[in-house]
Amino acid sequence: MTIGITGATGQLGRLVVQKLKKKVAAGDLVALVRNPAKAKELGITVRVADYDRPETLAPAFQGIDTLLMISASEIGKRLKQHRSVIHAAKQAGVKRIVYTSLLHADKSPIDLASEHLPTENEIKASGIPYTILRNGWYTENYTGSIGGALAGGAFLGSAGDAKISSAAREDFADAAVAAVTEKGHEGKTYELAGDTAWTLSDLANEISRQTGKNVSYRNLPEPEYANTLEGFDIPKPIAGAIAGWDTAALKGGLYDDSRQLSKLIGRPTTPLSETVREALQSRKTSG
Ligand SMILES: NC(=O)c1ccc[n+]([C@@H]2O[C@H](COP(=O)([O-])OP(=O)(O)OC[C@H]3O[C@@H](n4cnc5c(N)ncnc54)[C@H](OP(=O)(O)O)[C@@H]3O)[C@@H](O)[C@H]2O)c1
């Protein structure tokens, strides 16, 4: 069985490829990428598959049985890009699509659902057997801000005491590997989230505990948080989106207690403390 991985040069895709190589022969794996120069060290066959150049897709998908379709990364462009992928998969005779969607995409208050849910529906309408992995937030989305929190003595956000059931990117990579390599996932939609929910105050406390420095959580109104992010050189639309995701979290957008992720990967999800530890460690080693 040949497995193709789109987005194989991304952070999730790279982890998936590393993990798949431990489970299946490298010769059965194909990295589907827009920039082959970035894929050299993956150690598997590489084919050009650029979502923005639909003519590259069907040829790249020839002979692929299971396509791990890692969602594209440019917000607002993705539905069109995903449609091209699904159309090409149909043309190429792909036998199953495994798609990385959004937690509770059918009812999520997070604006990203407006691209993920129609993508799920188009996959279903294509008639290609599918597995939908509705991924919650990566814990790394937050630990990337630890440097700023330590510098300013506060972790900023607009999520109040929202419960966030995040998991490590590594956990979601294991889930993707299970979904593409194991039997029994066809026609299934999984809500994937961390075993233990936490709040941004919990995160600030954990950073304080591990560093011995005083970091508190400072909750800001959404527009003020967006302005603050812009002040950190984050482009206006992205700053607005990030602040909006925090207030969507207050409506339950990042919470799930079904533990389907740990069931799928056969182990508990990575605790917040561990991902914080790794982030602090990599800050030390990088300077
Ligand atoms: N659950 C979460 O918390 C979360 C957070 C962020 C993103 N996401 C979603 O999950 C996906 C994977 O996450 P990630 O952390 O691996 O993101 P990432 O590191 O940004 O990787 C995105 C991948 O998509 C590829 N890509 C983008 N545009 C493309 C195009 N036009 N044609 C072909 N490939 C294209 C990128 O290729 P290059 O390597 O050439 O750039 C990269 O490999 C993201 O794309 C996004 O949809 C989820």
Side-chain angles (χ1 to χ4, degrees):
M1 187 191 71
T2 303
I3 300 168
I5 306 108
T6 69
T9 46
Q11 298 167 90
L12 181 69
R14 283 179 187 278
L15 286 173
V16 169
V17 170
Q18 276 169 23
K19 289 168 182 291
L20 279 173
K21 281 166 74 181
K22 292 183 185 149
K23 279 194 115 174
V24 299
D28 291 338
L29 300 173
V30 180
L32 301 158
V33 306
R34 62 175 163 182
N35 179 1
K38 278 181 77 178
K40 279 186 192 136
E41 69 285 1
L42 292 177
I44 59 174
T45 301
V46 175
R47 294 185 194 160
V48 173
D50 185 335
Y51 302 144
D52 288 329
R53 292 193 293 138
E55 69 282 5
T56 62
L57 299 172
F61 297 166
Q62 287 304 316
I64 301 291
D65 298 303
T66 301
L67 180 69
L68 174 60
M69 179 180 165
I70 293 186
S71 47
S73 50
E74 286 173 79
I75 297 167
K77 281 178 68 178
R78 300 190 288 182
L79 185 52
K80 184 166 179 245
Q81 294 174 323
H82 292 165
R83 271 192 188 127
S84 301
V85 173
I86 298 160
H87 180 69
K90 185 83 182 164
Q91 275 185 305
V94 165
K95 297 192 182 73
R96 185 164 61 109
I97 294 180
V98 178
Y99 172 62
T100 62
S101 183
L102 173 75
L103 187 67
H104 302 145
D106 54 339
K107 52 176 194 259
S108 178
I110 296 174
D111 54 2
L112 302 173
S114 66
E115 292 181 301
H116 284 291
L117 186 61
T119 301
E120 289 186 6
N121 289 338
E122 299 225 3
I123 291 171
K124 290 175 185 169
S126 75
I128 302 172
Y130 64 86
T131 305
I132 308 287
L133 304 175
R134 287 185 172 165
N135 288 353
W137 251 213
Y138 307 145
T139 308
E140 289 88 343
N141 295 348
Y142 301 94
T143 55
S145 305
I146 284 180
L150 284 170
F155 198 100
L156 307 179
S158 296
D161 58 0
K163 287 187 188 169
I164 300 170
S165 309
S166 72
R169 204 182 256 107
E170 181 103 25
D171 301 331
F172 293 107
D174 277 331
V177 169
V180 296
T181 58
E182 293 170 1
K183 291 195 190 316
H185 300 303
E186 200 174 304
K188 300 266 174 69
T189 297
Y190 295 106
E191 305 290 351
L192 300 181
D195 290 339
T196 309
W198 47 272
T199 65
L200 290 178
S201 297
D202 295 333
L203 172 60
N205 290 342
E206 186 59 32
I207 298 168
S208 304
R209 192 182 70 78
Q210 292 196 29
T211 59
K213 297 189 177 139
N214 194 14
V215 175
S216 56
Y217 172 55
R218 190 182 308 146
N219 199 57
L220 302 172
E222 185 185 323
E224 198 181 316
Y225 181 39
N227 282 339
T228 307
L229 291 172
E230 269 186 71
F232 296 145
D233 283 340
I234 295 178
K236 191 180 178 74
I238 304 195
I242 294 173
W245 298 334
D246 261 20
T247 42
L250 269 174
K251 296 178 193 144
L254 298 177
Y255 178 69
D256 180 87
D257 62 356
S258 65
R259 300 193 167 207
Q260 293 176 48
L261 177 53
S262 50
K263 277 179 212 137
L264 186 57
I265 64 182
R267 62 168 175 79
T269 59
T270 308
L272 175 66
S273 56
E274 184 57 36
T275 309
V276 168
R277 185 170 301 112
E278 279 167 19
L280 290 171
Q281 194 61 41
S282 77
R283 274 174 57 76
K284 262 191 212 152
T285 46
S286 64

